[in-house]
Amino acid sequence: MCNQQVQSDIHDLFQSFESEIQEIIQESPSIDTATERITRLVSSKLTTETEGYIVDIYTALTEQIRKEEYFQDPEHLNAFYRLNLRDEMNEKYHFEIDNLDTYCKGIQFREINQLYMTAGAAAGTLAVGGVLKFALSGVVGIPFAIIIAGAIAAALAAFRSVPQKNKKNYELAVKKYLSDLENDVLDWIIEVEGYFQDKVRTLYTQN
C-alpha cells in the first residue's frame, strides 16, 4: 500500500493549488484564460512532484528488498537493478517538465484536449486515472504533463466562452474536478507501487 507520507504529500499539493487557482480565476480576463493558466499550473507542478513520489516509492522498495534474504545474493540484487524500474517509468510517462512547453509550441492550446482524447481512445476511457494506468501496460506516447493538461482542458471545456457572471460556477467546477483528480492520482500511485512489486515477484521465478 502507498505509504502514508506519499498520500499526505499528494493531499498537501492539491491543497496548495486552492489559493493560487482562486487568484487566477479572479485576475483572469476570461474563463478561457483562467483555464489555460490553471492547466499550466496544475500540470507542471503535479508532474514535477509526481516524479518525486515515484522516486520515493522506488527508494522504499529498494530498501525493503535489500533486507530480504533472497536479495542477499548479489546476483539476485543485480537482477533487480537490471529491471531499471525508474528508467522504465520515465520512458512511459516522460516526466520532464519542458515537455509541456515543447508540446505547446506550434500548436493551439485547444489541441492539447485532442491529444488527451486520442490517449483516452487508446486506453478505452477518458478518466485520467484510466489513461495513466493504461500507460503502465502500453506506451501512450504523450508525456505525463500533457495527459494532466488535456484532462483538465477536457473537464472544463463546457465553460469555454461562458460569461464572466458564471465565474462562481466555474470555480466550483474547478474545485470539484481537482478533488477527483487528487483521488485519481493517488489511485494511480498505488497502481505504480503494485506494478513495481509485480516486477520484483518475477525475479523469484527466474531462479
Side-chain angles (χ1 to χ4, degrees):
M1 178 61 68
C2 183
N3 67 60
Q4 292 294 320
Q5 185 58 55
V6 171
Q7 293 184 51
S8 177
D9 289 344
I10 291 173
H11 180 68
D12 289 346
L13 174 64
F14 277 87
Q15 288 293 108
S16 74
F17 288 144
E18 288 192 8
S19 59
E20 292 180 85
I21 286 175
Q22 188 172 28
E23 184 176 336
I24 286 173
I25 293 173
Q26 294 305 316
E27 293 180 349
S28 296
S30 69
I31 295 294
D32 287 355
T33 300
T35 297
E36 291 189 20
R37 291 180 62 190
I38 290 169
T39 298
R40 189 173 293 275
L41 167 71
V42 175
S43 60
S44 60
K45 280 194 173 182
L46 185 56
T47 299
T48 300
E49 296 300 322
T50 297
E51 183 176 17
Y53 303 149
I54 298 297
V55 171
D56 289 345
I57 291 172
Y58 176 79
T59 300
L61 174 64
T62 301
E63 291 176 354
Q64 173 188 325
I65 70 166
R66 286 175 65 89
K67 296 175 183 178
E68 294 183 16
E69 182 177 353
Y70 180 82
F71 288 103
Q72 298 308 305
D73 183 328
E75 185 176 334
H76 295 167
L77 186 60
N78 287 335
F80 165 73
Y81 287 124
R82 284 196 297 271
L83 290 174
N84 293 320
L85 292 176
R86 281 181 59 182
D87 290 342
E88 182 180 348
M89 286 299 102
N90 194 55
E91 182 179 343
K92 290 178 181 293
Y93 294 102
H94 302 283
F95 289 110
E96 300 86 354
I97 193 58
D98 58 356
N99 277 310
L100 185 59
D101 290 329
T102 299
Y103 264 74
C104 287
K105 289 178 181 177
I107 66 173
Q108 296 295 318
F109 181 81
R110 63 179 176 272
E111 292 183 76
I112 293 178
N113 188 10
Q114 184 56 49
L115 287 169
Y116 180 73
M117 293 296 182
T118 300
T125 176
L126 288 178
V128 64
V131 174
L132 290 173
K133 291 175 184 179
F134 175 73
L136 282 173
S137 57
V139 178
V140 171
I142 300 176
F144 183 91
I146 302 302
I147 292 176
I148 299 301
I152 297 171
L156 301 178
F159 286 90
R160 293 188 65 85
S161 303
V162 168
Q164 293 297 88
K165 65 181 180 180
N166 288 325
K167 267 191 173 182
K168 189 61 180 177
N169 289 337
Y170 173 76
E171 185 176 347
L172 290 173
V174 171
K175 287 183 177 179
K176 172 63 168 61
Y177 181 72
L178 288 181
S179 176
D180 292 341
L181 180 60
E182 178 181 345
N183 290 328
D184 280 340
V185 170
L186 181 56
D187 287 346
W188 169 70
I189 287 287
I190 293 172
E191 193 86 6
V192 169
E193 184 179 38
Y195 179 82
F196 281 176
Q197 292 171 343
D198 287 344
K199 285 286 190 176
V200 171
R201 277 193 283 270
T202 66
L203 299 177
Y204 296 111
T205 63
Q206 293 177 7
N207 296 277

